[in-house]
Amino acid sequence: MESKILIIRHGITEGNKKKWFYGATDIGLSDEGIIELEEQRDSGFYPDVPEDARFFTTGMKRTEETLGILFGDVEHGRITDMKEMNFGDYECRAFDSLKDDEVFLEWGYDQTGEIKLPNAESRNEFRDRATRGGKSLIDEHIASNTPMTVMICHGGVISSFMDHLFGDGRSMWDWMPEPGCGYEIFLTDGKPVKYKAIGRIGDNLQTVIDEYESENEGK
């Protein structure tokens, strides 16, 4: 049996526009985000969704609002393990304000995944949680025997989920969808076998960090 999971990142928020590090903060869509989602919805940007599709969000305001704009007031479940990474005391702080912050830079260049920002979760903890949430999503999809399941969640979660399913050595940042974008995942007998990107993919955060490292090399 062939089926699909449609996984979409929520629309633009104030945090996206200001390039904040935020995940646990429950903010809604910006006016720009609402308009962009409405335009994409009306232009046929997204794949057709059958009437018997199942829907999920993470329960956060920005995912609930995105679901409502794209698909209306539909009955849906919530998978909270697919919430975005918690940045603890660094929530809602922009990269430009952190360039000289030693704690942040230690976390940013950490290769082990174990370093945490104060009161945050480590990259490894986040990845484990997102993987657990992704497994729940696939299990729910298989159990429902529906041709499509739609999940509205977050950029970092989608990147981690796609890397777990289809990782080929590329950076996690290369999987990052822009707001309102995502992936159509094709499954055969419940196994993810291929995917199609929807909209703009790729995030410049890693490029910014790399440029900063290069600029300061040898100093």
Side-chain angles (χ1 to χ4, degrees), residues 8-12 29 32-42 46 62 65-67 69-70 179-181:
I8 300 172
R9 184 180 180 184
H10 62 78
I12 297 169
L29 300 177
E32 178 183 351
I34 293 170
I35 292 170
E36 181 177 76
L37 287 174
E38 290 173 340
E39 290 176 345
Q40 290 179 176
R41 176 199 64 197
D42 296 341
Y46 300 102
R62 52 195 183 272
E65 291 175 349
T66 298
L67 177 68
I69 291 168
L70 295 184
C181 302

Side-chain angles (χ1 to χ4, degrees), residues 35-217:
I35 292 170
E36 181 177 76
L37 287 174
E38 290 173 340
E39 290 176 345
Q40 290 179 176
R41 176 199 64 197
D42 296 341
S43 69
F45 183 83
Y46 300 102
D48 292 336
V49 174
E51 291 185 359
D52 57 347
R54 291 195 72 192
F55 298 90
F56 291 91
T57 71
T58 65
M60 302 199 81
K61 185 182 296 185
R62 52 195 183 272
T63 65
E64 295 283 324
E65 291 175 349
T66 298
L67 177 68
I69 291 168
L70 295 184
F71 303 106
D73 185 19
V74 293
E75 183 178 346
H76 62 281
R78 295 172 179 83
I79 301 177
T80 57
D81 273 338
M82 296 187 79
K83 289 182 177 181
E84 187 57 281
M85 186 174 184
N86 184 345
F87 293 96
D89 293 354
Y90 283 68
E91 284 275 322
C92 299
R93 295 185 64 181
F95 178 80
D96 285 346
S97 71
L98 298 170
K99 289 181 178 180
D100 299 317
D101 187 301
E102 293 182 2
V103 173
F104 173 79
L105 292 175
E106 182 182 12
W107 170 82
Y109 294 121
D110 171 41
Q111 299 297 314
T112 69
E114 291 295 329
I115 293 178
K116 299 182 184 183
L117 294 170
N119 297 311
E121 60 185 338
S122 70
R123 287 194 180 92
N124 289 342
E125 288 172 336
F126 166 70
R127 182 181 290 274
D128 289 347
R129 174 170 61 76
T131 299
R132 187 168 64 244
K135 182 179 185 302
S136 296
L137 175 63
I138 293 175
D139 288 347
E140 289 278 1
H141 172 72
I142 294 171
S144 69
N145 200 34
T146 183
M148 181 180 281
T149 294
V150 178
M151 177 70 195
I152 310 294
C153 57
H154 309 268
V157 175
I158 295 174
S159 296
S160 180
F161 183 57
M162 294 299 295
D163 187 56
H164 175 72
L165 294 181
F166 301 106
D168 53 8
R170 75 181 77 179
S171 166
M172 173 178 158
W173 303 107
D174 293 331
W175 294 103
M176 181 76 73
E178 293 294 313
C181 302
Y183 294 92
E184 188 176 14
I185 301 168
F186 300 82
L187 299 90
T188 300
D189 296 328
K191 302 290 186 182
V193 294
K194 61 181 180 179
Y195 64 89
K196 177 181 178 182
I198 301 167
R200 304 175 305 283
I201 305 296
D203 187 85
N204 66 1
L205 175 60
Q206 190 62 51
T207 300
V208 170
I209 291 177
D210 289 344
E211 287 176 352
Y212 176 74
E213 185 176 35
S214 177
E215 289 171 2
N216 288 273
E217 189 174 353

